Amino acid sequence: MAPANFNSSDLRYPPVSFSKKWDYHRDTIQRLYLDDRLSIKEIAAKMKDEYSFDALPHQYKYKFSKWALNKNISSAVKDRMIKGLEIRQRKGTAAEDFRYHGEPVDVKKLRRHLQKLPPVEPKLSLLNFLNQVGYHSSSSQSFARWDVSYQALKTAHGVATHQSPSGWKSTRLPIHGCPQMPQGPSPLATRSCSNVTTQRVAAIRDWTLNYRAASLLDGRYEDFLAGMSANEQRLSIAWLGQFWYFSLKTFKHWGKGPRFWTASMLQFGDLLHSSSSEDAPDAVVGCHAHSPDLCYICSDVQPSLEPSALCRWSIHVSEEGILYDESPSPLAEFLEDEDFNNPENWPSWPEESPAADPIAHLQVALHTNEFSNIEADQLPLSSMQVAKAVAQAPDELLVEAVGFAIMARNVDLLRDLLGRNSACDTFRLDKLYPFHLAATYLDGAKTCCDIMRMLLWETAAHNSIRSLFVNKLGHTVLDSFMMTILKAHSSCLPEVVDREFRGMHQFAGAEVDPCGRWDADSPCIRHPNAATQDRIPQSWKHMFCHTSVQAICHSISNISFCTGKLVVETPSGLYVKSCGRCGERLKPLPLHALVLTTFHLAQNACQGETLFGALALLVCLLIHGANPCMKAELSVEALMGVDDEEACTHQALDPLQLAKLVPLAVLTTWTKELQLGWNVFLAVLQLAQQDECPDEELGETQDQCDENDEDISQCWGANVARTSREPIGDLWASIQTEYLTYRRLDEGKPWMSENFSMVSIIEDMNNGQPFSSLPLIKREMMKPHCVCGQFANDKDYYYDHCPTTEEVCAFYFSNLEDWNRSNFLTLVID
C-alpha cells in the first residue's frame, strides 16, 4: 500500500506488478547489499519503509541466488587472486589494490584461504596425459617428450595469429583462469628482495611452485606455463630439455662410460645472464647461437664440423657366421678427464650385485638435480615435488624408461625393461605407442629392425601391436615410417603430411639420422648455428639410401608376420583431407599414402635421389598383401590446397590413377634419375595390377609356388598374405639382395650397384619380359627363392628373421667389408 503522501510520478513507487518491481529496484537492492554492506533483514526493512516494496527475507535470498550476488569471494576467484598476488609481489606492486566488486580485498583473507587449501601433491600420471603437441606423433610421456623446443611448445598452446609454412608462430601462451605474467624483471633477480622474505609471500610462492609441478606431471601444460614470464617459460623448458638429454645419454650408453652424467659432462652452458634482456634468447640459453629452439641445452663449445655424408650399416649374421672377435670391453673406472665424445673407448661398468637400476638412476637424478646447471631454487616450479612424485610412481616411470630406451636404440636395456614386466597385465604402454616411437627413432646403422623385433616379442601379451597400431593422431606405424623417410631424406615440412603439424620446422626425431651419420649424441646437433633455425641443415641429409631401406623393409616384414594384413589394409592417417563441399573425410589407403610420400620425396629430394627406396617399399607392401587395385575417395585439389568448396572434387582412385595425375610440368622439373625412378615405380604398380588375382585363385598360386621350387618343400612365405605372382617376387628378391650387399663407400660413387639397374627394369617392361635382364637375375647371382621373393635359411624357413647376406647370395660379391662402419647383429633362430 502506498503512503499517504503518495505521488504517482515518484519513481520510487512504480505502477507495476510486484514481480516486475524486483527488476525495477535491482540496482538499488544490489547497492544496498554490496556497497552499503547491509544485511538482508536491513535491506528488507529499508525497501519497505522507503520504497513501499514489501518482500520477505527468503524472497531476497532467492533473488540474490538468481542474480549471483554474493558478498563473499568464491574459492575459484580467490585462487586466481593468489596467482595474481604472487605475480604482483615479484613485480613489487602493492597487493592492496586488488578489488572485488569495487571493494579492496583484504589480503589476510587470501592468506587464510591459502592455509585452508589442501597441500598440492603432484602425481606422475600418464593415464591423465593428453599429447597436446603431437610432437612425437604418438607419445604422451611426461619427460620423454621434452625434446620439444620452446618455440614449438609456444605454438602448440598458443593462439595462431597467422599461417606459416615453415616456422612456429610467435604468439604468447593463453592463460586460462589466472592473470597473465607481465613483462618485468626475472623472479630470479628479485628473490633476495625484502618483499619475498615474509611468511605470506613464501606460502604463496610455495603453493605456486607445487601447483606448476602438479600441472606438469598431470599433462596440463597450459596450467603449467600459465602465469610464467617468458624468461620462466624458457627456463622451465630448458630444465626439462636437460633432463631429456641426460636420460637419453644415460640410456644410450647404459653399462659403460660415466656412471652418472652431470651438467658439466653434458657440457651445458650458462643459462642465466641476469644482465640480459628477458626477451633476448641469450638471456636464457646462454650460448653464442641465436636460435632458442635447439640450443637451450647447449654449451659455449664451437659447433663441430658437418657429419660424414657416408652411411654406416647393420649386417644381420647367424650365430655361426660371426666374423669378428666379440671380446668384452675392459673394466675400469671412467675418469672425468676422458673424452666424452668418444664412446668407443669407454670402459664397461664392473658387474654388481644387485645390478644398477636405470629407473633408480632417473629418480636419483631428479632428486639431486646434478644433471642440470640450473639450481633447484632458481626454477619456477618445485623440482623436489617432481622428484617426490616420481619416487612414488615407479610403474609410471618404467613406461618413461621404456620410451627413453627406444629413443636411445639400446636393445639390451629395452629387453631388460620389457622382460621385467611384459607378463604383467598392469604394465600398459598404450600412452607411449612404442611401435610408432621405434619407427620415429629408426636406427638402420646400429640396430636395424632389432628394436621393432624386441617390441613385437616382448609386448605381445598386453601391449600387442594390433592394439597400438594406430595412435591418437590417427597415424599408423607405417605412417611413422613414411614420416621418417621424409624427415631424414628430404626437405619436406611436416605440415605437408598432416595439418596438425602446421608450423613445425621438422619431424619428430629429426635429431637422429637412421644412417648413423649423426644423432642426438652429436655436438653438431646440440650446437646448431643460427642458420639452422630448429631444423637439421639440408646439406646434412642424403637420398633414401640402402641403410634406411633395409631397416624399414625388415621392420615391415616382422610386423606383417605378427599381424598378417594389418599393415597393408589399415587406412593411412597421413594426407587426410575433407571435401569442402560435402564434408566427406578423404583418407588414403597405404599404397595411396606411399604414392604421395614418393611424390614429396622426389619433389623435395636430396642430391642423388633415385627413388630406389620408394620402389623397395612398394614391392615390400605388395609382397605382404597390399592390393594395388583398391580405390579410395581422394581429391587432388584438396591435397594441393586449392579446393574451392563450390563442388565435390573427390573421386575414387586406385594408387596408379593417383600417381598418373601428377602434372607433366612438375615431372619435367625433376632430375633424370628421379624421372626414371618415378617411371619404374608406376610400371611396377601397373604390373602388380595386371597380376592381381581374385581370392579364389590364391590356392592355385600356392600350388604353383610348391611346384616351381624343386629344392624347397614348401613356400617360405606361405604365411605372408600376398597377391603377387612370380615377376614381383623376382623383383623383391633382387631388391633384398641389393640392399643387403651394397653401400656407397665413397662420395661420388653411385648409390646403387651395377647389379641393380633401373634402366633395365623399364626396358624389360617395354619388351614384355619383366626383370629378365636385371644383372642379379640374368647372372644367377642369387640363391633359389620362392615366387613371393622370400629366401630360405639352412633350416628351410623364413618366418622369424630377415635374410642374411649368405642366405641370398649364390657367391660372395658384397662390398660391405669396411668393418669400421659395420655393425653386426646376431640372429637368434630357435
Side-chain angles (χ1 to χ4, degrees):
M1 181 175 182
N5 58 348
F6 170 73
N7 184 350
S8 60
S9 62
D10 193 335
L11 297 179
R12 292 180 299 169
Y13 313 111
V16 295
S17 64
F18 178 80
S19 61
K20 292 183 178 181
K21 286 183 180 181
W22 283 104
D23 291 331
Y24 189 86
H25 291 301
R26 177 172 178 172
D27 290 342
T28 302
I29 296 172
Q30 182 170 314
R31 174 178 55 79
L32 295 174
Y33 184 63
L34 296 178
D35 297 344
D36 296 349
R37 316 296 289 180
L38 299 183
S39 66
I40 291 180
K41 290 184 178 180
E42 291 173 332
I43 294 173
K46 189 174 184 66
M47 291 298 298
K48 180 179 180 181
D49 294 341
E50 298 184 10
Y51 296 89
S52 293
F53 181 68
D54 190 3
L56 299 175
H58 75 270
Q59 292 177 303
Y60 278 97
K61 291 181 181 179
Y62 173 75
K63 281 296 181 180
F64 286 180
S65 176
K66 293 195 65 174
W67 293 344
L69 294 183
N70 195 338
K71 289 181 182 180
N72 298 320
I73 305 176
S74 67
S75 295
V77 173
K78 287 179 181 177
D79 288 343
R80 291 196 296 268
M81 286 184 175
I82 287 172
K83 294 176 184 179
L85 178 60
E86 193 265 341
I87 293 172
R88 294 189 179 195
Q89 288 173 334
R90 286 185 286 126
K91 190 178 179 182
T93 304
E96 283 70 24
D97 58 359
F98 264 117
R99 290 181 174 272
Y100 183 71
H101 288 303
E103 290 292 319
V105 175
D106 187 354
V107 179
K108 293 181 181 179
K109 290 186 177 181
L110 298 182
R111 184 183 172 188
R112 286 196 296 269
H113 172 72
L114 185 62
Q115 292 173 340
K116 293 179 182 178
L117 290 177
V120 179
E121 293 289 345
K123 294 182 179 179
L124 183 60
S125 176
L126 294 176
L127 297 177
N128 297 328
F129 214 85
L130 296 177
N131 184 19
Q132 301 180 42
V133 177
Y135 196 73
H136 285 310
S137 311
S138 60
S139 172
S140 54
Q141 301 154 277
S142 289
F143 299 110
R145 65 185 304 284
W146 285 97
D147 58 333
V148 185
S149 69
Y150 168 69
Q151 292 293 337
L153 196 72
K154 283 210 308 181
T155 302
H157 301 288
V159 178
T161 55
H162 65 282
Q163 295 285 342
S164 172
S166 61
W168 290 102
K169 300 100 176 171
S170 56
T171 62
R172 281 208 171 274
L173 291 163
I175 306 303
H176 299 293
C178 67
Q180 182 168 337
M181 175 67 72
Q183 294 297 318
S186 169
L188 308 178
T190 61
R191 284 281 178 91
S192 61
C193 298
S194 59
N195 68 326
V196 297
T197 60
T198 65
Q199 182 180 0
R200 179 187 67 199
V201 173
I204 293 175
R205 181 65 176 170
D206 289 344
W207 184 88
T208 302
L209 298 181
N210 292 346
Y211 178 83
R212 288 171 180 169
S215 301
L216 166 68
L217 295 176
D218 201 36
R220 294 178 287 111
Y221 300 124
E222 291 183 358
D223 290 342
F224 167 58
L225 294 169
M228 289 188 188
S229 67
N231 220 7
E232 288 181 311
Q233 290 174 356
R234 292 190 185 100
L235 200 61
S236 298
I237 297 170
W239 183 76
L240 290 164
Q242 288 180 343
F243 183 73
W244 178 88
Y245 186 63
F246 159 82
S247 302
L248 193 68
K249 291 280 284 189
T250 298
F251 278 58
K252 181 175 182 179
H253 303 296
W254 184 259
K256 68 176 184 178
R259 299 296 297 267
F260 193 92
W261 289 88
T262 63
S264 60
M265 292 179 181
L266 297 171
Q267 302 176 355
F268 293 146
D270 181 13
L271 292 175
L272 303 173
H273 290 325
S274 58
S275 60
S276 300
S277 167
E278 181 181 273
D279 292 326
D282 287 352
V284 173
V285 299
C287 67
H288 65 282
H290 298 290
S291 171
D293 300 333
L294 281 182
C295 61
Y296 59 77
I297 59 172
C298 72
S299 73
D300 295 327
V301 179
Q302 289 297 320
S304 300
L305 298 176
E306 283 191 12
S308 170
L310 302 174
C311 296
R312 296 176 60 91
W313 53 80
S314 298
I315 301 176
H316 289 289
V317 295
S318 62
E319 290 182 295
E320 298 80 8
I322 298 177
L323 302 177
Y324 66 102
D325 180 16
E326 198 176 12
S327 57
S329 301
L331 300 179
E333 286 297 325
F334 186 89
L335 303 177
E336 289 205 12
D337 58 353
E338 295 194 43
D339 185 1
F340 295 106
N341 297 317
N342 190 13
E344 301 296 331
N345 298 328
W346 293 349
S348 297
W349 299 351
E351 292 187 7
E352 298 176 333
S353 182
D357 183 5
I359 307 297
H361 234 64
L362 297 184
Q363 293 173 334
V364 170
L366 288 169
H367 182 74
T368 63
N369 200 47
E370 290 183 4
F371 68 88
S372 175
N373 60 347
I374 308 174
E375 298 295 334
D377 62 354
Q378 295 174 328
L379 285 170
L381 74 154
S382 174
S383 62
M384 290 306 297
Q385 287 290 345
V386 172
K388 178 181 176 182
V390 167
Q392 294 173 347
D395 292 340
E396 299 285 353
L397 193 59
L398 173 62
V399 177
E400 299 276 347
V402 169
F404 279 119
I406 294 173
M407 289 190 290
R409 290 94 71 213
N410 190 326
V411 179
D412 293 335
L413 182 57
L414 179 62
R415 180 189 296 110
D416 176 59
L417 292 171
L418 294 176
R420 300 182 195 178
N421 297 274
S422 59
C424 178
D425 57 3
T426 60
F427 178 55
R428 304 298 304 181
L429 298 176
D430 51 322
K431 299 300 180 181
L432 176 64
Y433 291 104
F435 302 98
H436 293 78
L437 202 58
T440 298
Y441 283 84
L442 183 74
D443 187 357
K446 295 182 180 179
T447 62
C448 191
C449 57
D450 279 4
I451 291 289
M452 189 65 71
R453 286 165 58 85
M454 183 59 58
L455 290 169
L456 290 168
W457 290 345
E458 298 290 346
T459 64
H462 305 291
N463 299 276
S464 70
I465 189 171
R466 284 189 173 275
S467 63
L468 300 174
F469 191 70
V470 180
N471 67 14
K472 286 183 290 188
L473 293 177
H475 299 162
T476 67
V477 176
L478 180 61
D479 293 338
S480 291
F481 280 122
M482 293 190 190
M483 286 187 283
T484 295
I485 293 170
L486 295 176
K487 166 194 72 181
H489 306 293
S490 80
S491 59
C492 185
L493 293 172
E495 65 183 30
V496 170
V497 302
D498 194 328
R499 289 178 297 179
E500 292 295 320
F501 296 151
R502 56 185 177 273
M504 287 179 62
H505 282 165
Q506 59 187 20
F507 290 95
E511 67 276 10
V512 175
D513 173 58
C515 304
R517 292 170 294 130
W518 76 75
D519 61 19
D521 229 5
S522 172
C524 53
I525 298 301
R526 293 190 292 117
H527 309 284
N529 57 37
T532 63
Q533 295 183 349
D534 203 15
R535 68 175 70 182
I536 304 302
Q538 178 66 12
S539 61
W540 291 10
K541 301 181 181 182
H542 66 205
M543 61 91 71
F544 186 16
C545 63
H546 288 20
T547 295
S548 296
V549 172
Q550 173 181 303
I552 292 176
C553 289
H554 281 185
S555 296
I556 291 175
S557 295
N558 281 294
I559 295 172
S560 296
F561 169 72
C562 295
T563 64
K565 285 192 174 184
L566 180 69
V567 175
V568 297
E569 290 186 343
T570 306
S572 173
L574 304 182
Y575 311 108
V576 177
K577 304 293 180 182
S578 295
C579 176
R581 181 72 173 84
C582 68
E584 181 176 350
R585 192 84 164 152
L586 310 177
K587 297 190 67 172
L589 295 171
L591 287 183
H592 297 85
L594 177 59
V595 167
L596 294 169
T597 298
T598 302
F599 167 78
H600 289 296
L601 177 65
Q603 188 72 2
N604 303 275
C606 297
Q607 184 177 3
E609 180 62 60
T610 64
L611 296 186
F612 168 82
L615 174 66
L617 189 51
L618 169 64
V619 179
C620 182
L621 293 178
L622 291 172
I623 287 297
H624 289 95
N627 188 339
C629 299
M630 290 289 290
K631 296 186 177 184
E633 287 289 330
L634 299 172
S635 167
V636 175
E637 289 82 357
L639 289 168
M640 296 173 61
V642 294
D643 191 355
D644 58 10
E645 302 183 3
E646 294 183 358
C648 292
T649 58
H650 52 90
Q651 55 183 317
L653 299 171
D654 63 43
L656 183 59
Q657 290 171 330
L658 175 63
K660 287 184 176 180
L661 291 176
V662 176
L664 180 62
V666 174
L667 296 177
T668 55
T669 64
W670 295 356
T671 64
K672 292 182 179 180
E673 291 81 3
L674 285 171
Q675 293 183 49
L676 174 61
W678 181 255
N679 290 333
V680 170
F681 187 90
L682 267 61
V684 172
L685 256 180
Q686 185 170 356
L687 177 64
Q689 285 188 350
Q690 295 170 358
D691 287 349
E692 174 67 19
C693 56
D695 293 340
E696 57 267 20
E697 297 182 17
L698 286 177
E700 177 184 344
T701 305
Q702 177 63 58
D703 295 338
Q704 177 189 2
C705 174
D706 296 341
E707 294 172 1
N708 290 351
D709 295 298
E710 298 179 357
D711 299 330
I712 303 170
S713 60
Q714 61 176 339
C715 174
W716 303 308
N719 73 307
V720 179
R722 70 190 189 288
T723 55
S724 56
R725 294 183 184 271
E726 187 171 356
I728 298 295
D730 288 340
L731 180 58
W732 177 231
S734 301
I735 287 173
Q736 292 180 89
T737 304
E738 168 68 10
Y739 66 60
L740 285 172
T741 59
Y742 180 80
R743 293 294 185 277
R744 185 183 71 142
L745 297 181
D746 299 295
E747 292 193 55
K749 297 289 185 180
W751 288 98
M752 287 186 293
S753 74
E754 60 181 12
N755 301 322
F756 194 95
S757 169
M758 292 285 213
V759 174
S760 69
I761 293 178
I762 288 293
E763 291 177 349
D764 290 345
M765 301 282 270
N766 293 336
N767 296 331
Q769 298 178 325
F771 321 123
S772 60
S773 64
L774 261 178
L776 287 168
I777 296 175
K778 186 176 181 180
R779 300 172 187 170
E780 298 182 346
M781 301 173 70
M782 300 182 293
K783 287 184 177 180
H785 57 271
C786 177
V787 294
C788 62
Q790 311 292 10
F791 291 92
N793 55 45
D794 58 357
K795 296 187 179 181
D796 286 347
Y797 65 89
Y798 168 82
Y799 308 144
D800 68 343
H801 84 288
C802 298
T804 63
T805 303
E806 57 267 26
E807 291 168 354
V808 304
C809 296
F811 54 89
Y812 187 79
F813 54 86
S814 173
N815 78 331
L816 277 62
E817 295 86 359
D818 188 345
W819 310 133
N820 291 325
R821 291 160 62 186
S822 304
N823 189 61
F824 294 93
L825 307 176
T826 304
L827 288 167
V828 179
I829 303 176
D830 299 326

